[in-house]
Amino acid sequence: MDFKEALAKARESRPEPVLVPVAVGNDLFNVEVRRLDGMDWAGVMAECPPVTEKGARLGYEAERAALVACRQYSRLLTAEGDVVTGIDWDDLFKLISGTEIGAIAATWWALNMADPNRRVVELKKALAGGGKTSSS
């Protein structure tokens, strides 16, 4: 497969957004988290330089990055799947629990850091083992 074909296939096979449930009072909503284009994710991380030990290990402040990413790239959905408009993400993040913020941050990390890194490792192993390196 040539490079242009590989790019086209990669665009077609982007992971689906993941919905992270959050409680707002007695109502359930879902924050939609998605895989971003590489430079978009790099921009999010650049806005959230590490200031804690955990941030230093990751290279960015995950919870802060979750808020920044949500402001720019997320949607809030009702439990029924309807898009909520006019979201003030700062107010939402002040209201929800630290556990919920952590789940949103972990999902951003998984889709934009862990999964792509895991894929590179898998491809390297396949290449080293002489196996096929392109996905079917």
Side-chain angles (χ1 to χ4, degrees), residues 12-114:
E12 292 172 7
S13 63
R14 295 290 288 235
E16 291 293 318
V18 174
L19 299 179
V20 181
V22 296
V24 179
N26 291 325
D27 295 306
L28 188 65
F29 291 85
N30 290 295
V31 175
E32 184 181 74
V33 176
R34 64 185 57 251
R35 170 91 181 266
L36 300 180
D37 291 340
M39 292 308 295
D40 291 338
W41 181 246
V44 169
M45 291 189 312
E47 286 189 47
C48 307
V51 294
T52 63
E53 185 178 322
K54 176 184 169 189
R57 286 192 310 271
L58 289 175
Y60 68 100
E61 291 299 322
E63 289 79 8
R64 175 89 177 122
L67 175 58
V68 168
C70 283
R71 282 185 196 141
Q72 295 177 28
Y73 303 105
S74 282
R75 297 186 307 168
L76 185 68
L77 306 172
T78 64
E80 295 77 27
D82 297 320
V83 176
V84 179
T85 59
I87 300 304
D88 183 325
W89 289 100
D90 293 293
D91 281 348
L92 178 63
F93 270 59
K94 287 175 189 172
L95 177 75
I96 61 177
S97 72
T99 300
E100 292 164 309
I101 293 170
I104 295 166
T107 305
W108 280 112
W109 175 83
L111 288 173
N112 292 284
M113 301 284 289

Side-chain angles (χ1 to χ4, degrees), residues 1-9 11:
M1 175 179 306
D2 75 5
F3 180 69
K4 287 184 181 182
E5 291 172 331
L7 278 176
K9 189 170 185 172
R11 284 187 186 106

